[in-house]
Amino acid sequence: MRTQVGIVGAGPAGLTLARLLEVAGIESVVLENRSRDHVEQRIRAGVLEQGTVDLLTEAGVADRLHREGLVHHGIELQFDGERHRVPLSDLTGGSTIVIYGQTEVVKDLIQARLASGAPLYFEAEDVSVHELESERPSIRFRHDGGKHELECDVIAGCDGFHGICRETIPAGVLTAFSRDYPYGWLGILAAVAPSNEELVYAHHERGFALLSLRSLEFSRLYVQVDHDEDIREWPDDRIWEELHARLGLEGWNLAEGPVLEKGVTGMRSYVVEPMQYGRLYLAGDAAHIVPPTGAKGLNLAIHDVRTLAEALVEWYGSGSRAALDAYTATCLRRVWRAEHFSWWMTSMLHRDPGDDSFGLRLQLSQLRYVTSSPAAATSLAENYVGLGTL
Ligand code: APR
Ligand code: PHB
């Protein structure tokens, strides 16, 4: 088998890259080790930046997003028993965010790929990448009982944080930068209309909480827990009790509903440099992770593959490798901005078990500052909606 671009992983990064290449007339094959059902059921974050929406629209995969996505113009920060609105659109010349689950983005991309007839293999086993330094890198895998070798011009490693592509790069090439946090998020999806129109990020002595949504019928809610929290310790009643305590306000009621799904996610910041080796290019979670507080993970992944697709179009079109060679540098500018923003939002809003009362007062001062100074609020807002060029 032979293709132009071999793509490992059918998450948002791999599927979006495949779509962008298809639109540009470049062939690709996508190899995913999980089943289609599994990939389409995974619940992930749900905030799309304007730039992400624009890209999916241009790629022709945003019809349902425009029908069902909810456009938001602000978020709320809660601390000291008060809620403060950050008017994102007013502060950023009209930019908005769209609430639409990553799961839904993935379903739309898979549907478009299958409809086009272009190759996308689920349940590909023992995927491995070879000859990365040569002009004919290849991907070996097993599918439907048969062994296959796919020869490529380049390989895109879009296989997430636990994938094999990053691991295949020889020792000594990559440098990793990381930060672990002593807490995680317990998230639920509840069949109840969201109790607030906009997202509420709450700082509370008992720990952070977030009120989010997936639609006008479904709420998505999170509470800060230990990083290795056992979900069995959290019956639904306990989760609601904690949500009421942390999000509660005089005169406002948090509506409860059946819990459809719940899970704990650890939080970490992680970046590898460079994001390329020979003819392998890493994109999305394969190269970097952010804690979810800034809602940047999906948006960063989409930016990486946009950069990669543009560089590949230039290379196939003109033979120039300039943009491909600059892939790491171009991506890392945005990656590090998002790393900083996500770390900053996380540190401002969570209770660190090792922190003292000095730290608590610094957090509260920072929160008061970003909700009272237009300069500080604008800085938060432009990062949240996504910076244009960097
Ligand atoms: N072979 C083939 N596919 C693999 C392999 C492998 N060895 N290992 C992992 N995969 C697949 C995973 O099953 C997954 O479907 O690669 C895909 C990676 O997708 P994501 O983890 O969703 O990563 P990415 O596409 O970079 O999207 C980043 O997803 O994790 C969230 O918060 C993150 O929002 C961000 C976004
Ligand atoms: C979500 O709705 O899942 C969500 C929203 C905002 C975040 C993180 C997650 O910052």
Side-chain angles (χ1 to χ4, degrees):
M1 281 164 95
R2 169 124 200 90
T3 191
Q4 291 179 297
V5 182
I7 301 175
V8 186
L15 291 166
T16 303
L17 177 63
R19 179 68 187 184
L20 294 174
L21 295 177
E22 187 188 320
V23 169
I26 298 172
E27 272 177 29
S28 68
V29 174
V30 185
L31 301 171
E32 163 63 49
N33 66 352
R34 310 302 297 255
S35 67
R36 178 177 179 187
D37 261 7
H38 178 91
V39 171
E40 292 191 341
Q41 297 311 318
R42 277 191 302 224
I43 301 196
R44 297 270 180 81
V47 177
L48 308 186
E49 293 175 1
Q50 180 96 51
T52 299
V53 173
D54 292 347
L55 179 119
L56 295 171
T57 305
E58 282 162 32
V61 285
D63 290 354
R64 194 162 68 96
L65 190 168
H66 287 290
R67 274 200 312 277
E68 297 177 14
L70 302 170
V71 178
H72 280 201
H73 300 274
I75 56 169
E76 302 208 66
L77 296 181
Q78 179 172 330
F79 58 95
D80 254 355
E82 285 175 9
R83 241 171 236 177
H84 304 257
R85 182 165 190 265
V86 181
L88 299 174
S89 299
D90 294 348
L91 293 168
T92 57
S95 291
T96 58
I97 51 164
V98 176
I99 308 300
Y100 188 69
Q102 177 176 319
T103 315
E104 306 310 313
V105 174
V106 164
K107 281 185 202 161
D108 296 344
L109 286 162
I110 290 176
Q111 198 186 28
R113 179 79 180 178
L114 296 178
S116 76
L120 160 56
Y121 297 99
F122 290 101
E123 298 175 72
E125 295 172 82
D126 299 333
V127 178
S128 57
V129 295
H130 304 271
E131 311 295 335
L132 302 176
E133 302 90 345
S134 79
E135 296 202 341
R136 280 279 173 277
S138 64
I139 309 180
R140 292 186 204 144
F141 63 102
R142 288 194 298 119
H143 190 256
D144 266 349
K147 276 189 172 179
H148 305 276
E149 175 149 1
L150 177 67
E151 281 197 357
C152 316
D153 295 332
V154 299
I155 297 175
C158 302
D159 50 351
F161 186 67
H162 300 286
I164 50 101
C165 288
R166 190 181 66 246
E167 300 299 317
T168 308
I169 298 175
V173 172
L174 301 180
T175 306
F177 303 85
S178 67
R179 203 40 65 103
D180 286 320
Y181 301 89
Y183 35 76
W185 281 13
L186 188 159
I188 60 168
L189 180 69
V192 60
S195 299
N196 197 59
E197 269 183 38
E198 295 182 329
L199 272 65
V200 181
Y201 288 83
H203 176 281
H204 194 277
E205 277 183 24
R206 299 170 73 100
F208 170 75
L210 170 63
L211 181 157
S212 180
L213 64 156
R214 280 296 172 275
S215 67
L216 298 176
E217 290 87 38
F218 293 97
S219 299
R220 180 83 174 139
L221 298 141
Y222 298 93
V223 284
Q224 174 187 344
V225 293
D226 283 348
H227 70 283
D228 55 357
E229 192 78 36
D230 184 351
I231 191 80
R232 288 170 302 190
E233 302 286 317
W234 287 82
D236 296 356
D237 287 355
R238 183 176 173 202
I239 300 174
W240 287 113
E241 199 180 305
E242 212 49 49
L243 285 165
H244 283 292
R246 299 182 192 187
L247 287 163
L249 278 184
E250 284 270 320
W252 178 83
N253 185 43
L254 173 68
E256 295 185 17
V259 174
L260 305 180
E261 197 264 355
K262 59 180 166 183
V264 173
T265 8
M267 316 243 289
R268 73 150 59 89
S269 299
Y270 179 91
V271 182
V272 285
E273 297 183 8
M275 289 170 58
Q276 63 201 92
Y277 172 72
R279 290 198 172 207
L280 171 67
Y281 297 84
L282 301 175
D285 278 16
H288 41 71
I289 299 276
V290 287
T293 326
K296 290 289 159 226
L298 166 76
N299 296 293
L300 259 193
I302 299 288
H303 185 264
D304 287 350
V305 296
R306 174 175 145 190
T307 305
L308 184 54
E310 285 170 1
L312 288 167
V313 167
E314 184 175 312
W315 183 50
Y316 280 115
S318 71
S320 165
R321 289 195 57 94
L324 273 179
D325 291 343
Y327 173 71
T328 292
T330 308
C331 289
L332 283 180
R333 282 199 292 276
R334 178 169 297 261
V335 168
W336 277 110
R337 179 88 301 279
E339 289 290 341
H340 177 268
F341 178 65
S342 306
W343 163 85
W344 175 76
M345 285 283 279
T346 302
S347 320
M348 174 170 74
L349 286 161
H350 290 72
R351 285 309 306 276
D352 185 327
D355 211 355
D356 56 10
S357 51
F358 185 82
L360 175 60
R361 277 166 178 70
L362 290 181
Q363 287 181 319
L364 292 170
S365 172
Q366 182 72 47
L367 281 160
R368 188 142 316 270
Y369 182 48
V370 293
T371 51
S372 57
S373 151
T378 303
S379 169
L380 187 155
E382 68 176 358
N383 278 279
Y384 198 90
V385 301
L387 288 153
T389 47
L390 276 173

